[in-house]
Amino acid sequence: MNPINPMKLLQIRASWEQFKARHPKFPSFLNAVSKGAVTEGTLIEMTITTADGKQYSSNLKLTSEDMQLVNDMKEMFSGQQGN
């Protein structure tokens, strides 16, 4: 596993701040979902529609193993919600 590059993390954080400014409802959505909607057995569906109208769709059902990753990510980003 490669070590985390601190400079890359700072770049990603700056990009995230710009993304939040352009799409202010999305972080609120993620925050709401993170407060209990993402549990084992949750079905996550995603559809991407390209500029020319082509659609790609997929879904997944979260397993207990998936929840370990979700919880690890929550810990890693805890304290970032207000930023």
Side-chain angles (χ1 to χ4, degrees):
M1 185 171 188
N2 293 332
I4 295 174
N5 179 339
M7 294 306 292
K8 188 65 174 175
L9 284 176
L10 289 174
Q11 180 184 5
I12 290 170
R13 182 176 176 146
S15 295
W16 174 246
E17 293 302 320
Q18 293 168 3
F19 182 88
K20 288 189 324 184
R22 288 189 306 272
H23 310 285
K25 292 181 181 180
F26 189 69
S28 297
F29 168 77
L30 292 178
N31 190 38
V33 168
S34 72
K35 293 183 186 216
V38 179
T39 59
E40 184 177 347
T42 295
L43 181 65
I44 297 175
E45 296 180 313
M46 183 179 294
T47 299
I48 305 294
T49 304
T50 65
D52 63 358
K54 189 170 183 179
Q55 287 192 337
Y56 300 86
S57 296
S58 185
N59 65 54
L60 59 95
K61 190 174 201 175
L62 294 176
T63 67
S64 60
E65 294 85 2
D66 299 328
M67 291 310 303
Q68 183 60 53
L69 173 63
V70 169
N71 291 329
D72 289 346
M73 290 175 67
K74 279 183 182 180
E75 284 181 27
M76 188 169 77
F77 292 107
S78 66
Q80 298 294 319
Q81 283 82 9
N83 297 332

